[in-house]
Amino acid sequence: MKECPSCNRCFPDQSERCLIDDDLLVTTFPVPPVLDSRYQLRRRLGQGGMGAVYKAQHIFLKTTHAIKVILPDLVGNDPELARRFRQEAMAAAAIRHHNVIAVTDYGLVNETMPFIVMEFIQGKSLQDVLNEIKRFTSLQALEFMSAVGAGMGAAHRRGIVHRDLKPLNIMIEDALPISEAVKVLDFGLAKIRSGELLGSFVAAKTTGIMGSPYYMAPEQWSDEEPDQRADIYSLGIILYQMLAGDVPFKGPSVPAIMKKHLMDAPPRFAEHGVPVSPGVENVVRRALEKDPDRRPQTAGEFINELREAVTTDYATRRPTQTAGDLQPETLISPTSRDQLAGTISDQQSAGVRSTDAFRGISDAQILFEAQRREAEVRRRQEEEAARWRANKEQERLEAEARMRAAEEALKREAEEAAQRAAEEEQRKQEAARRAEEEQLRLEVEAAARRVEAERQQRELAAEQQRQVEAEARRRAEEE
């Protein structure tokens, strides 16, 4: 099969150019254009380390599907791996929850290339939504996480641990409320905890580390067998990213990210300048506990804690305006509503209405008051974050001043030590010079004494010679 490099549409091998773009076709994956004599591949939607995902149409039923084809070199010639993949596909299909992507079929191409058939979702991923709106309010995050948690709870009840939860694996279908639009997909890394449904075929072809580094629980970095609480940790990372606009643990390499997951506490939202209530922050930090026993033990428990924190946060902001002062606005703007592909669900609105503070008040009033109160809290928390940043900046400046003072003191000490060393060297040189002069003086005096002694000896010898000659003359005269 060939593909268009521009639009990724699929064509038979004998085709040369794309009928839409007129681009030259290229051969990519060794996949036939029709799978199992039923599914006509139309266009490649994406690809990764496991294989490729195609948009396909059932030839007879004319229904649209998404088909994931697994790369042949991942499976190799081991029929056991293909069997396990089939069992995992069957288990994922058995979840049957509206917040989990539906797996409808499974097959093999040439007995070596597994593929799974899923429902096709027209929409965007949570990652795309995060790229567009950057940050969610706590109420928006609650709605999304409630839907994701419901799907994950259904999987966990069947003993399925996802292991690779991340925004890219959460789809939002167009034109549906969030509670129905959210779909968790890609259980390809899931590990089934029952009977022979053990291990993913990926584990046999990789180093054993399964998942995306930014979202992996601490126990996934070791030899420990992760359970559903690893997915709770990943949900906590996603919730953190939705509220803060970024993941809590980042680094220049996978080992650096791993070290932060294992050792560091997540940064507080104030460090990002994000106003989040203490109750919601506590829920996030509990989900990100290093010890799985200290996290919520189920997805339902995690969502209930988040709902209680958000509800309490809004319930404490008792409305002060009269009904006539309130405008029928919602927490989600029209633009955000389109981006989020849904609205605040009836279930979540009912959860907020159940508090005494909001009893008897309409949805529009609740959400408008929540918006006003949240803006006030955001303003106060932004001021607190600004003061925190100012204090940190002041501390930084003071630390830099102390560092400069220490450097100057060290420099002065070094200069004084150098000066003392120079003076000591000068004293040594002066002492050496004086010693040389003294030695020279002593040598000169010794030479002078030798000369004087020699002179005295010559004079004595001359005097003795005169005496001898005088004595000789005297004897000569006497004779």
Side-chain angles (χ1 to χ4, degrees):
M1 184 181 69
K2 293 183 178 180
E3 295 178 16
C4 172
S6 298
C7 64
N8 295 328
R9 284 182 170 83
C10 303
F11 297 89
D13 289 332
Q14 60 269 25
S15 301
E16 295 296 332
R17 289 185 176 274
C18 176
L19 300 178
I20 307 300
D21 304 310
D22 199 36
D23 287 349
L24 284 173
L25 303 178
V26 296
T27 301
T28 53
F29 293 103
V31 181
V34 179
L35 300 181
D36 204 18
S37 302
R38 291 179 293 166
Y39 300 103
Q40 175 74 52
L41 301 185
R42 296 298 188 187
R43 183 165 60 90
R44 181 166 51 85
L45 301 175
Q47 68 182 73
M50 294 177 60
V53 179
Y54 293 90
K55 181 179 180 180
Q57 186 179 50
H58 196 288
I59 294 177
F60 308 114
L61 302 179
K62 305 303 180 184
T63 51
T64 303
H65 303 270
I67 296 182
K68 173 175 284 188
V69 181
I70 309 304
L71 292 176
D73 56 348
L74 282 180
V75 179
N77 297 319
D78 188 354
E80 178 66 14
L81 295 177
R83 183 182 68 83
R84 289 182 177 177
F85 179 78
R86 176 176 177 271
Q87 290 174 326
E88 292 192 8
M90 291 172 59
I95 297 174
R96 297 187 182 279
H97 191 275
H98 65 273
N99 292 127
V100 174
I101 201 81
V103 176
T104 58
D105 202 354
Y106 163 86
L108 286 173
V109 179
N110 300 325
E111 302 299 321
T112 59
M113 190 185 304
F115 67 89
I116 57 175
V117 182
M118 303 170 287
E119 64 175 319
F120 177 78
I121 301 298
Q122 184 65 47
K124 59 184 69 176
S125 70
L126 178 56
Q127 184 64 56
D128 295 331
V129 175
L130 283 168
N131 291 337
E132 292 175 1
I133 68 175
K134 306 304 181 185
R135 294 172 180 167
F136 288 51
T137 66
S138 57
L139 198 59
Q140 292 169 341
L142 169 62
E143 184 171 35
F144 270 88
M145 296 309 294
S146 295
V148 176
M152 291 311 304
H156 292 165
R157 285 190 292 273
R158 290 189 171 270
I160 302 175
V161 181
H162 191 290
R163 287 189 166 203
D164 193 29
L165 276 176
K166 55 188 176 183
L168 280 174
N169 283 339
I170 299 173
M171 290 293 295
I172 300 132
E173 189 172 2
D174 293 340
L176 286 176
I178 295 301
S179 60
E180 300 175 20
V182 171
K183 305 281 186 179
V184 181
L185 57 121
D186 202 354
F187 281 81
L189 295 182
K191 192 162 188 177
I192 314 304
R193 294 168 21 201
S194 61
E196 294 183 346
L197 306 187
L198 298 174
S200 171
F201 70 97
V202 180
K205 295 293 181 179
T206 64
T207 60
I209 294 180
M210 302 165 64
S212 301
Y214 294 122
Y215 304 90
M216 286 172 60
E219 60 268 29
Q220 288 183 267
W221 299 95
S222 65
D223 294 332
E224 297 181 31
E225 179 64 25
D227 56 22
Q228 63 189 35
R229 295 172 298 181
D231 287 344
I232 303 300
Y233 185 92
S234 299
L235 289 175
I237 296 288
I238 295 171
L239 176 57
Y240 187 105
Q241 183 178 4
M242 293 170 74
L243 296 173
D246 203 355
V247 293
F249 303 121
K250 302 181 71 174
S253 63
V254 171
I257 299 172
M258 175 188 71
K259 182 179 178 182
K260 291 185 177 182
H261 277 288
L262 294 174
M263 305 296 295
D264 294 355
R268 293 200 172 272
F269 289 103
E271 297 181 38
H272 295 279
V274 178
V276 173
S277 70
V280 173
E281 180 152 14
N282 289 338
V283 171
V284 176
R285 298 181 77 84
R286 190 164 117 79
L288 298 184
E289 287 284 354
K290 310 301 181 187
D291 183 358
D293 291 335
R294 301 183 65 180
R295 300 175 202 150
Q297 300 301 291
T298 65
E301 182 181 350
F302 170 67
I303 297 303
N304 287 338
E305 290 181 2
L306 177 60
R307 181 178 294 111
E308 182 179 356
V310 174
T311 302
T312 301
D313 180 32
Y314 283 102
T316 55
R317 311 171 195 179
R318 191 174 183 90
T320 57
Q321 293 109 321
T322 64
D325 296 330
L326 298 172
Q327 300 299 321
E329 298 179 0
T330 63
L331 186 62
I332 303 178
S333 66
T335 302
S336 298
R337 185 186 303 273
D338 292 338
Q339 292 173 338
L340 299 180
T343 61
I344 298 296
S345 66
D346 294 338
Q347 181 183 1
Q348 298 309 317
S349 297
V352 176
R353 285 199 302 270
S354 64
T355 61
D356 292 337
F358 291 108
R359 188 164 293 163
I361 301 174
S362 68
D363 288 350
Q365 292 171 339
I366 291 174
L367 294 178
F368 177 76
E369 178 62 17
Q371 185 182 37
R372 189 189 68 80
R373 296 280 183 169
E374 186 171 19
E376 177 64 20
V377 172
R378 183 181 296 112
R379 182 188 63 78
R380 290 197 300 268
Q381 292 183 344
E382 286 176 351
E383 291 176 353
E384 180 181 350
R387 286 194 297 272
W388 181 87
R389 289 193 295 269
N391 291 336
K392 285 293 183 182
E393 180 65 15
Q394 183 64 26
E395 291 175 2
R396 184 185 67 80
L397 294 176
E398 292 175 354
E400 290 180 353
R402 289 194 297 270
M403 185 176 296
R404 285 195 297 269
E407 290 176 350
E408 292 174 357
L410 290 174
K411 184 178 179 181
R412 286 195 300 271
E413 290 179 2
E415 291 175 350
E416 292 173 356
Q419 184 176 358
R420 288 194 297 270
E423 292 175 352
E424 182 65 22
E425 181 65 22
Q426 186 176 359
R427 285 195 297 272
K428 290 180 180 179
Q429 292 177 357
E430 182 66 21
R433 185 183 62 78
R434 287 197 298 270
E436 290 177 357
E437 291 177 352
E438 182 65 17
Q439 182 66 24
L440 180 60
R441 184 184 65 78
L442 293 175
E443 291 176 355
V444 171
E445 290 178 353
R449 285 194 296 272
R450 287 195 299 272
V451 171
E452 180 63 20
E454 291 174 355
R455 185 187 64 77
Q456 291 177 358
Q457 289 178 354
R458 286 195 301 272
E459 289 178 353
L460 179 59
E463 180 63 25
Q464 290 176 348
Q465 183 62 30
R466 286 193 299 272
Q467 290 178 358
V468 170
E469 290 175 352
E471 183 63 27
R473 284 192 303 272
R474 185 183 64 78
R475 284 198 295 269
E477 289 177 353
E478 287 179 352
E479 293 176 354

